[in-house]
Amino acid sequence: MTLRERLNNDDRFAKFVGAQLTEISDGYAKAELRVEERHLNGGGVCQGGVIFTLADLAFAAVANSHGVLTLGISNNITFLKSAQEGDKITAVCQATYDHKKLPYCDIRVTNQDGELICAMTGLAYRTKREMEYDRLM
């Protein structure tokens, strides 16, 4: 099983909201989601938690790409623009500082027009447990 398959299948909440990893390479991951009516909040725009979940899935892929179970310990997210029903939103995560125990990443979420929806940073902790998979993709 690949890391992409493992996270797409085993991250049950991300799967529930419809977030899917589409690319993983060394220090890079991309996840996508189509905003549906079920994702809308009381204001009629995409719920921030849905956007966070998408960004977090891409973050998880980069953080766990070294074969060691790595868990997020701190995130900072800034919402810059609303996502609307029908939008295809994409989270791209890039490793900024690949520390052996505390990797740090930048994540950007954009819509289908390339407009920035939010910016997020993530800090993770690498445990001593293996993360088993055959390859990234």
Side-chain angles (χ1 to χ4, degrees):
M1 176 178 290
T2 67
L3 177 60
R4 181 178 135 189
E5 291 168 334
R6 182 162 182 191
L7 290 173
N8 278 338
N9 292 326
D10 293 351
D11 190 325
R12 291 178 275 300
F13 188 74
K15 185 177 181 178
F16 174 76
V17 299
Q20 286 286 304
L21 283 163
T22 56
E23 292 181 41
I24 306 174
S25 60
D26 187 33
Y28 175 89
K30 181 165 50 169
E32 300 175 333
L33 175 139
R34 175 78 57 187
V35 178
E36 301 172 1
E37 181 181 10
R38 67 187 173 127
H39 299 125
L40 304 182
N41 63 19
V45 298
C46 186
Q47 168 69 17
V50 172
I51 298 168
F52 179 89
T53 298
L54 179 68
D56 191 51
L57 181 62
F59 175 44
V62 171
N64 283 285
S65 66
H66 296 281
V68 178
L69 178 63
T70 305
L71 305 168
I73 58 173
S74 178
N75 296 93
N76 183 28
I77 190 165
T78 302
F79 296 98
L80 302 165
K81 180 176 176 57
S82 297
Q84 309 295 319
E85 184 175 358
D87 282 351
K88 180 180 179 183
I89 55 176
T90 302
V92 171
C93 178
Q94 294 188 299
T96 304
Y97 182 64
D98 190 24
H99 187 272
K100 65 182 180 178
K101 286 303 245 178
L102 299 168
Y104 182 82
C105 296
D106 285 305
I107 307 100
R108 301 281 187 256
V109 178
T110 58
N111 65 16
Q112 67 280 353
D113 298 321
E115 298 171 316
L116 188 60
I117 300 295
C118 80
M120 184 170 109
T121 57
L123 180 68
Y125 174 76
R126 287 200 173 112
T127 69
K128 294 179 182 176
R129 291 179 38 203
E130 282 188 37
M131 177 80 160
E132 294 183 26
Y133 53 85
D134 300 323
R135 60 190 188 284
L136 298 179
M137 297 258 315

